[in-house]
Amino acid sequence: MEQGCALIREHNGHIIPLLGNPGDLQRGDHLLFSGQLQGRSACGPAFRVGEVRRLWADGSHRYVIYDRHRDGEYVARNGWWDRYNRDHQGRRH
């Protein structure tokens, strides 16, 4: 996090600050989302998340954790257990 902005790494290695809470992400998760670029923010140029569409557990994109069409609206929650029933080691229960 940088000044309250989550930082993500694209497949090409570029680091992008996110505005809006993508929530419940863990290192190694892969995210498909939509939104818009915002030129000025507390984090400099950043991407404002409008909608989370899909979340995978790893780079192979074989294990879908969340899918908007299947699971409905994405709502981020905080705490030891995330909304996908994973603990902090990434294990699903």
Side-chain angles (χ1 to χ4, degrees):
M1 290 280 241
E2 183 176 291
Q3 297 185 29
C5 297
L7 300 175
I8 63 165
R9 182 181 317 271
E10 289 185 296
H11 283 274
N12 63 13
H14 291 116
I15 304 293
I16 300 174
L18 294 182
L19 301 173
N21 183 5
D24 298 338
L25 297 180
Q26 296 181 11
R27 184 175 297 257
D29 286 350
H30 283 234
L31 182 66
L32 175 64
F33 56 88
S34 63
Q36 61 186 351
L37 291 174
Q38 185 167 332
R40 294 182 181 197
S41 76
C43 301
F47 192 87
R48 181 167 298 281
V49 177
E51 174 184 82
V52 175
R53 295 182 181 172
R54 187 168 291 146
L55 176 63
W56 294 274
D58 61 18
S60 71
H61 295 186
R62 291 182 188 165
Y63 179 54
V64 177
I65 297 172
Y66 164 82
D67 183 282
R68 181 174 173 78
H69 296 293
R70 178 189 72 195
D71 301 320
E73 187 71 26
Y74 184 87
V75 179
R77 298 182 186 149
N78 294 323
W80 181 255
W81 300 95
D82 68 14
R83 68 173 296 185
Y84 310 108
N85 206 21
R86 294 183 298 182
D87 62 20
H88 280 277
Q89 284 73 48
R91 296 178 301 229
R92 193 172 171 121
H93 294 275

